[in-house]
Amino acid sequence: MSTTPATTPDLDDPRTDPFDVARAAAAHIAEVTGVPGHDVALVLGSGWGGAAELVGDVVAELPTHEIPGFAKASVVGHASTTRSIRVERPDGSTRHALVIGGRTHLYEGRGVRRVVHGVRTAAATGCESVVLTNGCGGLHMAWRPGQPVLLRDHLNLTATSPLEGATFVDLTDLYSPRLRELARSVDPELPEGVYAQFPGPHYETPAEVKMAGILGADLVGMSTTLEAIAARHAGMEVLGVSLVTNLAAGISPQPLSHEEVLEAGQAAGPRISDLLANIVKAL
């Protein structure tokens, strides 16, 4: 039986403060998991789902759609379970990671508030940092499918923002230099790049990919930037990691497909899951 509070404010109502819904979601997670607070959050995109099992011991899990403000995942390959995981750090201390399954994408038409509700909920549970992952198209032939790439910056090409009203937030160092350096201590060969988010759900045209490259992008995809902005606004440090699942349109002579994305993610799963687990343990 669901324990979702019947009095949770409607996230879609413009009169509702979205942070009230995030606090209600955090209270629900604390009640169901028995964990009063979490330290780090993970949002796992295409190909990254296997990392949760390697991060630590699962304390509790619950269907994401039963948490206030969340809906069932609508994209194949995206988990719909949220987990509380106890992480044993190298120094012997213990922390708790919140792994949020069931990411909402902008192209689903549920509104920007739904897209960023996960990271706002994570902040409300006490998380001081968040790791945002995704599967994406690469603009460099040297980055073959299966290559993880740290995000150093992004281009938000969605023509929208998760911030409402006169809310001004500095994004100069949005993708934390400290966390990127920590990730490189786990894997010194991790490259860095700029991620461009398009609204989707259609893949980018070769001309759009070329435009993104001229603007400075190294990677293209359909998630992450809005969540990163909301996470910074909520006071969290952000680490972004992309998995190149395919060469972007016009870079590769092959047509693009979601099946290709899933297959590349599955092939790279063991390596990137181990990488992410070690990064989280070091955070």
Side-chain angles (χ1 to χ4, degrees):
M1 182 177 68
S2 170
T3 58
T4 302
T7 56
T8 300
D10 182 5
L11 188 59
D12 298 321
D13 187 334
R15 297 169 297 180
T16 297
D17 183 344
F19 293 95
D20 287 341
V21 185
R23 284 187 284 269
H28 177 76
I29 291 171
E31 177 185 358
V32 174
T33 64
V35 179
H38 288 80
D39 305 289
V40 58
L42 287 80
V43 179
L44 303 181
S46 297
W48 294 93
E53 286 74 19
L54 301 178
V55 169
D57 298 323
V58 177
V59 175
E61 59 182 39
L62 64 160
T64 302
H65 67 272
E66 293 185 0
I67 304 172
F70 288 88
K72 288 186 176 181
S74 63
V75 181
V76 175
H78 288 261
S80 57
T81 300
T82 290
R83 302 174 183 179
S84 176
I85 297 179
R86 183 172 55 251
V87 182
E88 301 292 339
R89 303 179 69 202
D91 62 5
S93 62
T94 299
R95 305 188 80 191
H96 283 90
L98 184 68
V99 181
I100 303 172
R103 170 186 252 156
T104 297
H105 294 76
L106 185 64
Y107 57 69
E108 296 175 46
R110 294 172 175 169
V112 180
R113 285 184 170 189
R114 298 274 180 182
V115 172
V116 301
H117 181 56
V119 295
R120 285 175 172 163
T121 295
T125 69
C127 291
E128 298 178 347
S129 56
V130 60
V131 182
L132 300 173
T133 68
N134 61 61
C136 67
L139 273 67
H140 304 301
M141 290 294 293
W143 292 354
R144 309 303 295 180
Q147 174 68 56
V149 181
L150 296 175
L151 303 189
R152 70 167 182 270
D153 207 341
H154 77 224
L155 295 167
N156 175 13
L157 303 181
T158 68
T160 190
S161 170
L163 308 184
E164 302 173 20
T167 305
F168 306 110
V169 178
D170 179 23
L171 303 180
T172 302
D173 58 350
L174 172 56
Y175 297 95
S176 168
R178 184 184 75 86
L179 296 186
R180 297 198 327 260
E181 187 62 30
L182 184 149
R184 280 193 294 270
S185 73
V186 174
D187 184 350
E189 297 184 359
L190 280 174
E192 290 189 351
V194 175
Y195 178 90
Q197 180 180 352
F198 285 83
H202 54 276
Y203 289 108
E204 305 78 20
T205 68
E208 289 169 337
V209 170
K210 183 177 181 180
M211 174 195 72
I214 292 172
L215 293 175
D218 304 290
L219 309 157
V220 293
M222 305 175 193
S223 67
T224 303
T225 72
L226 300 177
E227 293 159 292
I229 295 168
R232 163 53 66 88
H233 177 233
M236 289 191 287
E237 269 193 293
V238 179
L239 177 66
V241 191
S242 289
L243 171 66
V244 177
T245 55
N246 56 275
L247 294 175
I251 307 297
S252 169
Q254 303 299 322
L256 305 181
S257 71
H258 187 56
E259 290 72 21
E260 178 187 15
V261 171
L262 295 178
E263 290 173 3
Q266 290 172 354
R271 178 196 172 198
I272 62 174
S273 295
D274 184 65
L275 168 68
L276 187 58
N278 286 324
I279 290 174
V280 171
K281 291 174 183 177
L283 286 179

